[in-house]
Amino acid sequence: MNIREQVCLSAYNSFGLKAKARFFASVSHEQEIQQALAFAHKQRLPVRILGGGSNLLLAADINALVLHIQSRGLRIILNNNERVLIEAVAGEPWHDFVQWTLAQNAYGLENLSLIPGSVGAAPIQNIGAYGVELKDHCHSLDALNLASGQVQRFSAEECRFAYRDSLFKQQPGRWLILRVRFALSQKPQLQLNYGDIRARLVDLNIENPTPEDISRVICAIRQEKLPNPAELGNAGSFFKNPIISAEQAEQLKQQYPKLSAWPQPDGQIKLAAAWLIEQAGWKGYRTGHVGVHQAQALVLVNYGGASGGELLQLAHRIQQDIKDKFNVLLEIEPTIW
Ligand SMILES: Cc1cc2nc3c(=O)[nH]c(=O)nc-3n(C[C@H](O)[C@H](O)[C@H](O)COP(=O)(O)OP(=O)(O)OC[C@H]3O[C@@H](n4cnc5c(N)ncnc54)[C@H](O)[C@@H]3O)c2cc1C
């Protein structure tokens, strides 16, 4: 294993930010992970875990050992005709993994097609899209406790998944997820009630869609709607959709009858952060090297040469404005280093 010093991370984060890692190691096996951790321990350095870098904002140089997780492996643990239990190792690219599950006739993850990043990062914020979240199909996972060096198994319940949240997001720097197990099904249970899925299927004259059709349709919608980080630096949605009380939502609704809002099972109301940002006039705004995407108010972009600080400054201005206008707090979604 090669540990390099002063490595620029611009190629390792989807914003294309140029922060440097004091030490950097790509690790493909658990043995390499252990060696790298021993190095960090000896140097008294903190460790930062890097997957695909698609949910990160690098605000400054990183005085740590950055471990780039490249471990691979996919296996079917159990297939009893209906239920399929699959294990994926952390460094597997998420979208390729989803495509592989479809090729095994193991269904459930099709709505999560084309989300960038790695399998190991997917539980961190309980990735979600088009009405499905990772928690709906996560069976269990193994994580290495970075302080004790012990591997611990977590059931899905123990992961404390919530909207773009988990135990691991709440305890940054404590866990390295090694592998994740998914409970999938050979019998498709399609989720079509979100976004433009149904309309697209009608356009394509698909009456009885398969999970593969859903995956293709979602890939097409995402490619049209979201900027490609290879062309325009971004980290997908920059803010979480805020959740407020039913009472406050009712007051806002009186003021803004077109307010985009979804009732939650616990009685609270989730608002569309994109709607709030657009309503406040930020969509398409640009300052210096950064801006709010022209077509997606939730996506902050690096037009080239931006620093993490510039992005954060813009984010804070938007947060303040939304607080002033709607009395709603927008929470930043990506992890800030
Ligand atoms: C264009 C675009 C679209 C997106 N769309 C969606 C979407 O629809 N839904 C959604 O939920 N997200 C979306 N995202 C965000 C992102 O793709 C996900 O959060 C993804 O899971 C991040 O994976 P990653 O490997 O890139 O993680 P990274 O950015 O490398 O890391 C993110 C966090 O996870 C930690 N981490 C990474 N790997 C591990 C590991 N093995 N063990 C412990 N901690 C780890 C890191 O330390 C960091 O805190 C989008 C991003 C982009 C750029």
Side-chain angles (χ1 to χ4, degrees):
M1 184 201 33
N2 183 11
I3 297 181
R4 292 187 286 147
E5 247 183 292
Q6 298 296 347
V7 173
C8 175
L9 296 175
S10 63
Y12 297 98
N13 73 97
S14 62
F15 265 126
L17 297 169
K18 282 194 179 123
K20 275 196 209 123
R22 171 130 177 249
F23 291 99
F24 179 94
S26 283
V27 285
S28 306
H29 304 287
E30 280 178 40
Q31 206 187 352
E32 287 182 338
I33 293 174
Q34 294 295 354
Q35 284 169 4
L37 293 179
F39 171 85
H41 190 69
K42 209 166 150 197
Q43 300 275 334
R44 294 168 190 264
L45 275 174
V47 173
R48 293 277 171 87
I49 314 297
L50 176 68
S54 63
N55 208 24
L56 276 184
L57 190 154
L58 306 179
D61 288 341
I62 318 296
N63 187 20
L65 168 65
V66 171
L67 275 192
H68 185 215
I69 307 298
Q70 293 280 280
S71 48
R72 296 288 155 93
L74 298 168
R75 72 185 176 109
I76 296 174
I77 298 175
L78 178 142
N79 186 346
N80 69 5
N81 289 330
E82 248 187 55
R83 194 163 164 259
V84 193
L85 189 60
I86 284 178
E87 182 177 87
V89 173
E92 288 287 344
W94 174 262
H95 176 70
D96 294 354
F97 165 61
V98 172
Q99 296 306 304
W100 182 84
T101 60
L102 293 175
Q104 313 307 310
N105 301 328
Y107 304 124
L109 300 179
E110 51 276 0
N111 290 41
L112 302 179
S113 295
L114 216 60
I115 296 181
S118 58
V119 165
I124 303 292
Q125 71 155 1
N126 176 30
I127 57 168
Y130 293 92
V132 174
E133 289 184 319
L134 176 112
K135 75 170 170 48
D136 302 329
H137 297 284
C138 179
H139 173 274
S140 57
L141 60 81
D142 296 341
L144 178 71
N145 183 322
L146 290 173
S148 72
Q150 300 295 309
V151 176
Q152 192 171 322
R153 182 160 290 197
F154 291 84
S155 67
E157 203 187 338
E158 287 166 337
C159 294
R160 289 196 232 142
F161 291 124
Y163 166 62
R164 297 297 178 277
D165 203 8
S166 70
L167 167 84
F168 311 102
K169 192 159 185 184
Q170 293 297 324
Q171 300 183 348
R174 182 145 179 217
W175 302 100
L176 190 165
I177 294 175
L178 295 169
R179 44 194 164 258
V180 186
R181 282 172 289 277
F182 297 86
L184 303 177
S185 170
Q186 289 219 357
K187 285 197 179 153
Q189 287 183 321
L190 302 181
Q191 303 290 334
L192 307 176
N193 294 330
Y194 201 95
D196 298 340
I197 301 177
R198 278 188 196 279
R200 288 298 174 107
L201 291 169
V202 171
D203 288 350
L204 294 167
N205 285 325
I206 300 174
E207 277 178 22
N208 297 305
T210 63
E212 289 82 359
D213 290 328
I214 304 303
S215 173
R216 271 191 293 275
V217 160
I218 286 175
C219 288
I221 300 174
R222 291 182 67 100
Q223 276 162 342
E224 282 167 32
K225 287 199 165 174
L226 288 169
N228 178 353
E231 289 158 16
L232 187 60
N234 75 90
S237 302
F238 196 87
F239 299 102
K240 288 163 76 163
N241 287 321
I243 297 176
I244 62 172
S245 70
E247 197 186 351
Q248 190 186 357
E250 197 43 54
Q251 284 166 7
L252 279 173
K253 197 109 206 178
Q254 280 174 17
Q255 224 179 327
Y256 304 96
K258 289 188 177 155
L259 184 80
S260 236
W262 309 283
Q264 299 300 290
D266 64 0
Q268 297 198 90
I269 308 289
K270 193 192 269 182
L271 302 182
W275 188 89
L276 298 171
I277 295 168
E278 188 172 347
Q279 188 71 23
W282 288 97
K283 194 168 166 183
Y285 175 82
R286 180 172 177 168
T287 172
H289 307 99
V290 300
V292 179
H293 193 257
Q294 282 158 358
Q296 281 299 326
L298 211 43
V299 177
L300 297 198
V301 296
N302 172 9
Y303 284 105
S307 67
E310 270 180 280
L311 278 163
L312 269 185
Q313 247 178 31
L314 173 61
H316 292 152
R317 284 176 61 199
I318 295 171
Q319 282 176 313
Q320 187 60 52
D321 194 36
I322 299 301
K323 180 88 183 81
D324 293 344
K325 291 200 164 92
F326 304 101
N327 194 24
V328 170
L329 193 71
L330 283 187
E331 202 183 318
I332 291 176
E333 187 186 294
T335 301
I336 298 168
W337 281 3

